[in-house]
Amino acid sequence: MAFWIRSSYLPLFLGLLSILLLLLQYPITSTASTATAVRLGVVRRPTGSLPIFHEAPAFRNGRECGSGHNNLIHVAMTLDANYLRGTMAAILSMLQHSACPENLSFHFLSAHFADTDLFSSIKSTFPYLNFKIYRFDSSRVHGKISRSIRQALDQPLNYARIYLADIIPVDVGRVIYLDSDLVVVDDISKLWAVDMENKVVAAPQYCRANFAQYFTEMFWLDPDLSKTFQGRNPCYFNTGVMVMDVDKWREGRYTEKVEEWMAVQKKKRIYHLGSLPPFLLVLAGNIKPVDHRWNQHGLGGDNFEGKCRGLHPGPISLLHWSGKGKPWLRLDSRKPCAIDYLWAPYDLYRSSRQWLEG
């Protein structure tokens, strides 16, 4: 099930939704899968300072679901204490809307592999989840990261997606990479099933966006660098939602190609936005386009103020709070944007649940 929003009905829709959410004690479980409706209370961590989460229901496969390695849907995300609340919501949203939730296999990249609290937090919140945590060695990007316009974009873990193919098991040939500031409101298997058409990455792309703005004047004025996109029709795509052919990524040595542009950035200031521009330099104009419904991005506003934004008209399968404003922070501040109420039903954090139950 996906959302369809007409811009003329958006204010009424969000207003009614906000009222309904205040009346709901817990998120409605998906009809696509068999799930228990009983929560088993609050699961507390043994040590540390991570948030406390409710245990999620147990989501089970429908009768039509297959089993075995060939039926797995691989999803990769980074795991960071500062975004853990968002990660939990994203996981819940995928399980809730999946017809075959037990076929989801999660691969989490963490810069703190020895942090048992992160593992315990995921395991206690989702006891039946199929997942593994892999260590991302931050030294791989030491000396390669250039300062961007927002500090959060400069964190080593933000670059982990570049090295994903080197970290996850070699028998994983395809993976969906997702940011932690999103929720999926459709069956993720539909995105998984996209025909890659021999491309290394599939993602929604936006050819009406001002592509030139992602690079500096120095880049466009350089006689050699400005020829980078010759022979391509480059369009912006957001790297927070990507289907990656991991085998082709490895074969084409795309990690090294992205790193080469990061090295150029250290010598010449050719872009401002962290890990996104080197992806664009390597892949823009050469990806498989996916329907825009799979990344309704920019809901967190811009990278400076994070002001409220509305939805774009059309069908929606994934809501993405890219930008500075994060829904859990705005909800906690009691200054949420209307769109943040679409994220709130998936929030397993105890304090916010009590506020919504009010």
Side-chain angles (χ1 to χ4, degrees):
M1 167 176 156
F3 293 158
W4 183 285
I5 305 293
R6 291 184 181 274
S7 57
S8 59
Y9 298 142
L10 183 58
L12 177 61
F13 171 79
L14 291 177
L16 292 173
L17 183 63
S18 300
I19 295 172
L20 286 172
L21 289 174
L22 290 171
L23 296 176
L24 288 174
Q25 182 175 9
Y26 295 111
I28 299 173
T29 54
S30 172
T31 56
S33 59
T34 304
T36 61
V38 179
R39 297 187 185 275
L40 302 181
V42 177
V43 178
R44 298 183 180 277
R45 301 167 297 95
T47 59
S49 57
L50 295 181
I52 300 171
F53 298 97
H54 288 270
E55 181 177 327
F59 295 91
R60 300 302 187 186
N61 280 358
R63 294 180 179 178
E64 73 280 8
C65 299
S67 60
H69 181 78
N70 292 335
N71 296 104
L72 293 178
I73 296 174
H74 297 279
V75 179
M77 305 177 73
T78 57
L79 197 58
D80 178 80
N82 293 326
Y83 282 79
L84 186 59
R85 193 166 159 191
T87 302
M88 295 295 196
I91 296 170
L92 178 62
S93 71
M94 281 180 267
L95 294 174
Q96 186 167 311
H97 293 285
S98 175
C100 304
E102 292 180 280
N103 290 355
L104 300 185
S105 179
F106 288 87
H107 305 265
F108 297 115
L109 309 184
S110 172
H112 305 286
F113 183 71
D115 190 340
T116 56
D117 281 345
L118 279 174
F119 177 88
S120 298
S121 188
I122 295 287
K123 189 66 177 177
S124 59
T125 307
F126 300 100
Y128 307 99
L129 193 69
N130 178 14
F131 76 96
K132 292 182 181 178
I133 300 178
Y134 308 85
R135 180 176 180 265
F136 170 63
D137 186 358
S138 298
S139 67
R140 296 198 67 171
V141 292
H142 180 71
K144 299 176 183 177
I145 298 177
S146 300
R147 186 176 180 181
S148 66
I149 61 175
R150 186 158 60 92
Q151 187 176 4
L153 301 176
D154 300 339
Q155 301 305 308
L157 200 57
N158 192 46
Y159 290 79
R161 70 198 79 189
I162 299 170
Y163 303 92
L164 182 60
D166 302 331
I167 299 173
I168 61 177
V170 294
D171 62 343
V172 176
R174 175 183 290 203
V175 68
I176 299 173
Y177 177 84
L178 297 175
D179 278 348
S180 296
D181 53 356
L182 55 78
V183 292
V184 179
V185 294
D186 204 347
D187 194 326
I188 195 69
S189 66
K190 298 176 184 177
L191 180 59
W192 176 259
V194 64
D195 183 358
M196 301 284 287
E197 297 183 357
N198 211 35
K199 302 295 185 182
V200 69
V201 165
Q205 67 176 10
Y206 305 87
C207 294
R208 293 184 180 181
N210 182 7
F211 187 80
Q213 71 177 337
Y214 293 99
F215 304 96
T216 63
E217 185 177 4
M218 178 181 293
F219 174 85
W220 294 114
L221 292 178
D222 187 291
D224 295 318
L225 295 176
S226 60
K227 297 177 182 178
T228 300
F229 298 105
Q230 281 189 353
R232 290 191 267 169
N233 180 26
C235 297
Y236 163 77
F237 67 94
N238 183 284
T239 55
V241 179
M242 297 185 291
V243 185
M244 303 176 67
D245 187 320
V246 189
D247 289 333
K248 283 187 169 55
W249 184 280
R250 295 177 182 125
E251 294 167 3
R253 304 180 68 86
Y254 280 89
T255 295
E256 289 83 350
K257 292 177 181 179
V258 174
E259 284 185 323
E260 287 172 4
W261 281 112
M262 293 168 64
V264 174
Q265 166 73 352
K266 294 294 289 186
K267 298 176 182 178
K268 303 178 180 180
R269 189 73 173 175
I270 60 173
Y271 56 77
H272 299 297
L273 274 176
S275 63
L276 168 64
F279 265 90
L280 296 179
L281 287 161
V282 174
L283 291 164
N286 196 28
I287 70 169
K288 168 59 190 292
V290 174
D291 195 300
H292 288 180
R293 69 190 301 153
W294 284 104
N295 196 354
Q296 179 85 212
H297 68 288
L299 303 183
D302 60 26
N303 283 299
F304 297 100
E305 300 181 53
K307 292 183 178 180
C308 296
R309 288 184 179 175
L311 293 170
H312 303 294
I316 300 171
S317 294
L318 186 148
L319 297 157
H320 188 186
W321 279 259
S322 57
K324 185 178 181 179
K326 302 307 173 189
W328 56 92
L329 297 178
R330 297 195 295 213
L331 286 164
D332 284 353
S333 70
R334 304 295 179 93
K335 297 179 181 179
C337 300
I339 195 67
D340 298 336
Y341 290 109
L342 295 179
W343 179 89
Y346 304 99
D347 187 11
L348 292 170
Y349 181 46
R350 185 186 184 191
S351 294
S352 64
R353 179 66 58 201
Q354 289 175 330
W355 175 64
L356 283 173
E357 292 171 2

